[in-house]
């Protein structure tokens, strides 16, 4: 089945719901799902974006701008995972704890009580370790893109057809995903990660990760930078500017992962 056929099926599926509330991260998948839902349902769809320390401020601004531009009802809700010691402990279920807080915030909205919650989960996501999916499913969320077999390639293709600026955006999981399981997550850690990745973006690395490690018995932080393998030589050439920038943020040690960028790299350790 081609992507255009899947899109027609998606429109029919969405049209069967009286009202939907879409968890909107401004990423490739949730942007496409929201755009199609708004096209089909109009005012019967609303976007819900989590405001959390683990969400970059630039992402929050993009989400707001997208909804304002298209006249989409948009709620920004403060989620409480950073007040949850279980989440902060950063065990292998961190994403599940996070999604539970998101679903609580979403269903607490008066306007969403009769709406079906939807997430932009795609078929590719079902092949990875994603405890957040199960937490959302248990609370009644639907994953229409995954249900219809949409892959990332399908979403990007149809996003381009719709003229969505998000079509070629790199994947950007939450900032907490850069902290190894078993090491605590904190507002300080995610702030440092956000600032470090912003510095790398400014240096011209569209795809990058700064893995945040505690060293010296928890007294210092190490940044392990991942960029695509082809970009590693350029990153090392720029070390004279990159190293001081990250040290100003608070990293005592800065390393480059010679294996290159790997999405969901810490999941392989579980």
């Amino acid at each position: 089945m081609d992507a255009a056929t899947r899109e027609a099926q998606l429109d029919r599926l969405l049209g069967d719901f009286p009202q939907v509330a879409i968890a909107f991260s401004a990423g490739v998948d949730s942007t496409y799902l929201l755009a199609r839902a708004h096209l089909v349902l109009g005012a019967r769809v609303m976007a819900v974006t989590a405001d959390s320390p683990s969400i970059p401020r630039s992402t929050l601004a993009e989400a707001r701008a997208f909804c304002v531009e298209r006249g989409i009802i948009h709620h920004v809700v403060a989620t409480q995972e950073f007040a949850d010691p279980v989440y902060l402990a950063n065990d292998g279920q961190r994403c599940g704890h996070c999604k539970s807080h998101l679903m609580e915030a979403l269903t607490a909205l008066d306007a969403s009580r009769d709406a079906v919650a939807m997430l932009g989960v795609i078929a590719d996501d079902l092949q990875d370790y994603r405890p957040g999916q199960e937490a959302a499913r248990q609370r009644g969320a639907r994953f229409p893109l995954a249900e219809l077999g949409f892959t990332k390639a399908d979403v990007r293709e149809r996003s381009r057809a719709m003229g969505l600026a998000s079509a070629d955006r790199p994947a950007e999981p939450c900032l907490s995903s850069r902290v190894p399981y078993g090491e605590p997550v904190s507002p300080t850690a995610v702030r440092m990660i956000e600032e470090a990745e912003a510095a790398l973006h400014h240096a011209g690395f569209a795809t990058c990760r700064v893995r945040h490690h505690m060293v010296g018995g928890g007294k210092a932080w190490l940044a392990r930078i991942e960029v695509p393998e082809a970009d590693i030589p350029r990153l090392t050439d720029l070390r004279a500017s990159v190293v001081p920038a990250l040290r100003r943020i608070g990293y005592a040690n800065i390393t480059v992962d010679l294996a290159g960028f790997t999405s969901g790299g810490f999941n392989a350790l579980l």
Side-chain angles (χ1 to χ4, degrees):
M1 184 189 306
D2 62 23
T5 302
R6 285 197 172 93
E7 183 172 85
Q9 291 183 336
L10 175 64
D11 290 350
R12 287 193 293 272
L13 185 155
L14 292 169
D16 289 337
F17 294 95
Q19 186 177 8
V20 300
I22 293 177
F24 179 47
S25 68
V28 181
D29 306 320
S30 67
T31 298
Y32 172 70
L33 178 59
L34 178 60
R36 293 312 303 179
H38 185 242
L39 189 66
V40 173
L41 298 170
R44 291 186 288 145
V45 64
M46 67 175 172
V48 181
T49 301
D51 183 0
S52 160
S54 68
I55 305 300
R57 299 300 91 185
S58 58
T59 297
L60 192 58
E62 288 173 5
R64 285 190 168 113
F66 182 85
C67 291
V68 168
E69 177 186 348
R70 293 179 175 249
I72 297 172
I73 299 167
H74 187 208
H75 297 278
V76 177
V77 296
T79 51
Q80 302 301 317
E81 66 269 25
F82 275 77
D84 182 350
V86 178
Y87 174 87
L88 296 177
N90 194 25
D91 64 8
Q93 293 294 316
R94 184 200 64 239
C95 188
H97 305 316
C98 179
K99 282 295 186 292
S100 293
H101 283 281
L102 172 62
M103 295 300 295
E104 287 172 6
L106 194 155
T107 55
L109 289 170
D110 288 344
S112 72
R113 288 179 179 168
D114 296 323
V116 175
M118 293 185 176
L119 276 64
V121 176
I122 58 172
D124 304 29
D125 298 331
L126 304 180
Q127 308 306 313
D128 195 5
Y129 177 71
R130 302 289 178 93
Q133 294 174 12
E134 184 58 29
R137 185 183 287 110
Q138 288 176 357
R139 290 172 176 265
R142 292 284 299 269
F143 309 151
L145 299 179
E147 291 170 21
L148 295 172
F150 274 85
T151 64
K152 182 68 76 177
D154 292 332
V155 173
R156 291 193 188 280
E157 176 191 320
R158 300 317 302 164
S159 294
R160 291 187 197 103
M162 292 188 71
L164 299 177
S166 58
D168 297 307
R169 184 172 297 158
E172 288 289 347
C174 83
L175 297 170
S176 294
S177 68
R178 278 61 150 179
V179 181
Y181 293 118
E183 293 186 13
V185 174
S186 69
T188 296
V190 294
R191 175 192 58 78
M192 291 175 66
I193 294 164
E194 179 176 6
E195 292 180 8
E197 291 189 355
L200 290 170
H201 290 320
H202 183 72
F205 298 95
T207 299
C208 64
R209 294 286 185 273
V210 173
R211 306 296 184 186
H212 180 98
H213 298 266
M214 291 192 302
V215 294
K219 297 178 180 178
W221 292 281
L222 177 148
R224 177 167 58 87
I225 302 171
E226 293 181 8
V227 295
E229 193 171 345
D231 285 343
I232 291 176
R234 185 163 63 89
L235 176 60
T236 57
D237 287 344
L238 293 172
R239 63 187 178 276
S241 58
V242 169
V243 169
L246 269 62
R247 283 196 171 143
R248 284 193 295 271
I249 292 166
Y251 286 106
N253 303 96
I254 297 96
T255 67
V256 177
D257 192 324
L258 295 180
F261 168 76
T262 303
S263 182
F266 286 137
N267 289 345
L269 303 178
L270 292 173

